[in-house]
Amino acid sequence: MSGLKNSPFGKRLRGTDEDSPRKNRTRFTPAFGVAPGSTPSLDSRPSTSEGATPESPERGAHRDYGDRFVPNRDAGDMRTSYHLMDGGTPSTPSKNRMIPTESDALKEQANAIFNSILHTEVTPSSPQRPGSPVRQPAASTSTLPTTPTRRRLFAFNSPSRSNPATPSRRLDMPTDEAYSLSPVRAESRHLLESPRRQLRSVCKTPYRVLDAPELADDFYLNLVDWSSTNVLGVGLGACVYLWTAHTAQVSKLCDLGSVHDTISSVSWVQKVGSIPWHTREFLVVVGLSLWLRVQWSDCQLSIHGPSDRNMLEGTSLAVGTLSGRLHIYDASTLQLTRTYERAHTQRIGALSWNSHILSSGSRDRMIHHRDVREPGTRPFKKSQGHRQEVCGLRWSGDGGPQAASLASGGNDNKVCIWDLRGSKRQGGLATPGRTGNVPGSSSATDDGDTPLWKFHEHTAAVKALAWDPHVSGILATGGGTADKHIRFWNVQNGTMLSELDTGSQVCNLTWSLTSHEIVSTHGFSSTTAQNQICIWKYPSLDMVASLTGHTHRVLYLAMSPDGETIVTGAGDETLRFWNAFPKKENHEARRESRLDYGRLIR
């Protein structure tokens, strides 16, 4: 027992017995936990008063609480409190828009509805609240305004019986919320019951995957293209293979291994469905097999024979090589039709057709334009507007006044708009970051050697180019790793309409033919999301879907002629086919023409 008495526990017991009984002390209920007339100490230890020794510390003052706390919403403004709670934490700067790892439009719509309902339930409207504060008459000057010591968002007290919150006549209405069986308010029920926009679901997995051995992992090459006759052309090493979509048959078009050359670009000529107004050309059929092509342009009449028949049928494939050679093949017969041995001094990374005009961009910074119907091999026009390699070319094919516009992107981060007709942009004030051949300037020429517009906003190489098929004169461009932006331009007046930060390298762009949407493929990224295929809604630039599956940069992109399927290629040596867009509605089949007199014959 002696050991127990001398222990710290025994000393604490003796100190407790010497103190006054705890039940005889004065009990108080302080507002901030401090007794009246006392000064709070900065020391965390309790004060040693009333004969208490350091060995016998006394517990802090006891608070007297009630058994429950009922929040009274009449004492404060709930809507203001809701926003004060959101603004209590220091705001962080908003980050740039990044590509999410997984995009689900249905989940995003559900989250938006949930946030709206939560805002309605937590912060209901208060029609009985006065619109402006009423100034109270000053009774005396003794009470001066003071700064509150703490901000209280909620008031906890009992509601007053003299001023009931519920009007006495409100319960007479059978539609009152008090009789509602729904757990939410009327505004929330109206939001839940209102019809919502039907979202288009996109399959997140490819329906077909093809092996593509030796598919180069090079950002500056264009090795995949889909023809208007539903044949896919792919450049693999020194060979070009053709894959027929409706039969899944693979054919080998050429092999350049004997001449020690490698494929760097492929491009199909598009089938001539309707002749644009500015070409003014038509066909004259003579007999059963002989036909002539007549073209009327600039008061000149030119007649062409059967040599360009494969161009009308969309079976011509242009092939560029690393050594600067340019070959043209007839895919229907798998035969070489002609070769330009020294088309460029360095590799040809970009090709684009405009009817019988073939434009090629090279690492030698030049753009050559050739008429494949002419017997000569020299280009009829050269364009030089880039200081580094030309890695992107795209003719506008809308058939309107801008159908003669060519967009080129280079490794110098510039985008040039060309018009081979020699047109000049309208004069006006110069826009920062944009240059062009202003009428009257010394650099403006009539032969189209000067770009119509030159855009400088991108900060990385521009390979991705796409003309909007729904709106004439709208161009989409995508920048490389250091840029990560998709920008939209109006080439008629040289203005940038909008831009989108994708968060990753933009490798390719193509517009949908069935809906006003655009597809982008990506590579290197600053986030965890990489190697994605994204579908964006235009002009809202909201993401419709995000497709993943490639393990390397998605460098190649092509679209089927019906506009429903896209094919992507990457350095993982695979080609993946995606059902990205809905079927196109055939409005022309249901349209009745007044000039169709055949339906009136009985």
Side-chain angles (χ1 to χ4, degrees), residues 365 367 369 381-387 404-409 412 414-426 434-439 441 443-456 491 494:
R365 303 172 295 175
I367 301 175
H369 310 280
K381 191 177 294 293
K382 297 181 181 181
S383 302
Q384 184 176 7
H386 297 277
R387 296 184 177 181
S405 298
L406 173 67
S408 64
D412 57 353
K414 303 299 186 294
V415 178
C416 296
I417 308 298
W418 308 87
D419 192 339
L420 300 188
R421 299 172 300 183
S423 301
K424 303 181 180 65
R425 66 182 178 94
Q426 297 180 359
R434 299 167 182 83
T435 58
N437 51 353
V438 184
S441 62
S443 60
T445 58
D446 293 337
D447 54 359
D449 291 341
T450 303
L452 190 65
W453 295 101
K454 194 171 186 179
F455 305 128
H456 306 262
V491 300

Side-chain angles (χ1 to χ4, degrees), residues 30 51 59 63 90 112 176 234 266 335 376 388 398 406 408 410 423 484 529 538 547 565:
R59 293 187 177 182
R63 295 186 181 183
D176 189 82
V234 184
V266 296
Q335 297 295 326
Q388 295 188 34
D398 54 3
L406 173 67
S408 64
S423 301
K484 305 180 180 68
Y538 186 82
L547 311 177
T565 304

